[in-house]
Amino acid sequence: MSSNNFELKNPESGLTTSLPVRSGTIGPAVLDISNLNRDHGVFSYDPAFAVTASCDSKITYIDGDAGVLLYRGYPVEQLAEKSSFMEVAYLLMYGDLPDATQLQEFSGSIGRHTMINESLLRFFNGFHHDAHPMAMVSAVVASMSAFYHDSTDIHNPRHREIFSHRIVAKLPTIAAAAHKHSLGQPFIYPRNDLDYCSNMLSMFFAVPCESYTVDPIAAKALDLLFILHADHEQNASTSTVRLAGSTGANPYAAISSGVAALWGPAHGGANEAVLAMLEQIGRVENIPKYLGMVKDKSSHFRLMGFGHRIYKNFDPRAKIIRDMCHQVLAKLGRNDNPLFELALKLEDIALKDEYFVSRKLYPNVDFYSGIIYSALGIPRSMYTVMFAIARTVGWVAHWLEMISDPNMRISRPRQLYTGPVRRDYVPAAQRKTLQEA
Ligand code: CMC
């Protein structure tokens, strides 16, 4: 990493300010404005943090113009082809790919932490059967902060490690419990003889009265989707986890805030919204009508699963998932999937449309993932939960990176105040109503 300076000139005063420029290992350099207020009495203004780097990070790199995504330096395409979700989880959390022994120990530890406390299980009975699973999952994850008192010292590296294994291991169990609660079916306990994704499918689809065999095609597809969703640098939910965690909050509470942030349709909730949109569009002939609605801003209609704050090119994850749809649907004998056909046609038409071309709007990770979840029999309301299970690894990696940084401080953005200037309190009887004023 190198550094030099960037000169800013105030045209009114003629004064020149010198700001340090910091360069990472790859990617654009950043202006270090951390002393701007101390030295010059002003703050920077960047609503929605579109051009603000909030931290140093060694975890994930994105080049949005080139459509590149690297986890700890490894291209996501290579990891998708050759790796496994457990290996990627280790990579993100510990910084390097594990050797065979490390992988075995890590997977074994995750396997041993899959059960949740029986009291936590009873929490689900407090929810109505039609509660959205993301509401249940974020509430139950937050409730984990009331358990596990043996490992809450965030300054103790071993405690942090135990927390990280517990949350990664228990998220599928919590998700499956939410699913079973919605169905009114008995909860299925985890099976530690199965790998991460096979165990998740078993907890989802098994029933106590029958034996259940996990379809290896389904487990492999889920594993691949989890690799692709595992991390995405400082996205909204990860930044939320970092912000909540920066106060020294209980880490389960910090992860729960990430689940809540992920739920929104502009973020992870888009995968659920895409399928609803495709059903709403219904037929290829209706696509022009909906593209017309996109262009009419008063309609508030957006193509869900399209566009990205960073990618101004194909989201590499969307390409992989689109190819995966062809393979998985063929293997499962469901090639004639009308929603997939419609999605392909919609992508094709949108990518030739001037509105999308000029704004550089491409399909993102959420555009095709729901097609696969649906082929695996996962209900639509669970799609964002699937995203949350995978992204928990990224949240944990970022939380670990932040907490172990000796320079960590509470995150506290500033504002441009546009409210009333100072005024004095007037007793209610003497206040004029709005009409009189
Ligand atoms: N459909 C139609 N127009 C769009 C879309 C879309 N999906 N996305 C952006 N635009 C337009 C937007 O109206 C604006 O046009 P104009 O310049 O005329 O006002 C322009 O493109 C820039 O949009 P923006 O809202 O300023 O972009 P942003 O970086 O703030 O938002 C986004 C990024 C992902 C929230 C947005 O593209 C979006 O709402 N997409 C649909 C929801 C979605 O698929 N979200 C998943 C994101 S990827 C996975 C994840 O993060 O979880």
Side-chain angles (χ1 to χ4, degrees), residues 30-203:
V30 299
L31 286 186
D32 183 349
I33 56 163
S34 50
N35 290 329
L36 202 59
N37 182 255
R38 187 196 69 188
D39 297 344
H40 303 284
V42 290
F43 293 106
S44 65
Y45 179 68
D46 178 25
F49 312 120
V51 293
T52 294
S54 62
C55 60
D56 288 27
S57 184
K58 295 182 168 62
I59 302 172
T60 290
Y61 173 74
I62 305 172
D63 180 338
D65 294 324
V68 168
L69 171 61
L70 310 177
Y71 292 166
R72 301 278 190 187
Y74 295 101
V76 76
E77 292 85 354
Q78 286 183 24
L79 295 169
E81 190 190 333
K82 299 175 181 166
S83 187
S84 67
F85 180 61
M86 271 301 97
E87 203 174 51
V88 165
Y90 186 99
L91 171 70
L92 289 168
M93 286 159 63
Y94 290 93
D96 265 315
L97 284 169
D99 62 25
T101 312
Q102 287 167 327
L103 181 59
Q104 197 183 18
E105 281 174 8
F106 177 68
S107 309
S109 173
I110 298 297
R112 280 192 303 280
H113 282 106
T114 48
M115 286 213 302
I116 56 173
N117 190 297
E118 288 291 306
S119 310
L120 267 177
L121 210 46
R122 285 195 288 275
F123 283 20
F124 288 92
N125 292 332
F127 289 98
H128 200 50
H129 69 90
D130 59 0
H132 195 286
M134 283 297 276
M136 293 192 258
V137 170
S138 75
V140 173
V141 170
S143 307
M144 287 171 80
S145 51
F147 294 73
Y148 313 115
H149 300 303
D150 59 340
S151 54
T152 52
D153 179 2
I154 59 171
H155 302 297
N156 179 328
R158 180 63 190 139
H159 282 204
R160 294 200 294 264
E161 186 173 42
I162 296 170
F163 150 75
S164 67
H165 288 207
R166 275 195 177 130
I167 188 76
V168 171
K170 293 182 200 306
L171 236 286
T173 315
I174 293 170
H179 175 54
K180 289 294 188 185
H181 179 73
S182 310
L183 295 178
Q185 285 185 4
F187 172 68
I188 299 293
Y189 283 88
R191 279 183 48 191
N192 294 354
D193 60 319
L194 297 176
D195 63 68
Y196 193 81
C197 290
S198 301
N199 174 48
M200 217 212 73
L201 290 168
S202 159
M203 290 189 292

Side-chain angles (χ1 to χ4, degrees), residues 241-434:
V241 170
R242 277 186 178 262
L243 199 134
S246 78
T247 67
N250 182 292
Y252 296 103
I255 298 294
S256 164
S257 67
V259 177
L262 184 74
W263 191 5
H267 194 6
N271 55 13
E272 185 181 339
V274 167
L275 269 269
M277 175 192 76
L278 290 173
E279 275 185 4
Q280 188 186 352
I281 296 175
R283 294 181 317 159
V284 172
E285 302 82 77
N286 293 336
I287 291 176
K289 176 179 132 197
Y290 284 92
L291 292 192
M293 280 166 66
V294 163
K295 294 165 199 170
D296 171 12
K297 298 281 177 194
S298 67
S299 78
H300 301 289
F301 183 81
R302 282 188 169 203
L303 271 200
M304 300 313 287
F306 254 78
H308 199 278
R309 172 63 61 81
I310 301 184
Y311 293 118
K312 301 303 166 200
N313 196 329
F314 263 99
D315 178 337
R317 304 166 299 173
K319 273 192 200 167
I320 299 172
I321 299 176
R322 189 184 52 197
D323 292 348
M324 197 180 156
C325 279
H326 287 291
Q327 291 166 22
V328 173
L329 294 178
K331 280 186 191 162
L332 295 174
R334 305 204 184 133
N335 319 45
D336 57 339
N337 184 311
L339 289 185
F340 182 41
E341 296 303 319
L342 185 61
L344 287 170
K345 200 71 196 156
L346 181 56
E347 173 188 333
D348 191 45
I349 295 174
L351 290 184
K352 291 184 186 124
D353 189 298
E354 195 279 331
Y355 177 94
F356 290 87
V357 174
S358 61
R359 289 170 180 75
K360 299 185 178 168
L361 302 170
Y362 292 84
N364 61 49
V365 69
D366 293 316
F367 193 64
Y368 288 109
S369 59
I371 306 276
I372 297 185
Y373 291 136
S374 141
L376 300 184
I378 293 169
R380 194 175 301 171
S381 62
M382 291 299 300
Y383 295 176
T384 312
V385 175
M386 295 293 118
F387 194 155
I389 294 173
R391 187 54 58 84
T392 295
V393 161
W395 294 330
V396 165
H398 283 270
W399 181 85
L400 289 169
E401 182 177 69
M402 179 186 71
I403 299 285
S404 53
D405 179 352
N407 298 321
M408 183 193 93
R409 295 167 74 199
I410 184 171
S411 293
R412 177 46 169 102
R414 300 303 299 251
Q415 62 173 4
L416 177 66
Y417 177 69
T418 55
V421 296
R422 187 193 182 284
R423 51 185 171 165
D424 290 321
Y425 179 86
V426 178
Q430 294 169 27
R431 284 175 218 152
K432 288 184 181 165
T433 61
L434 274 179

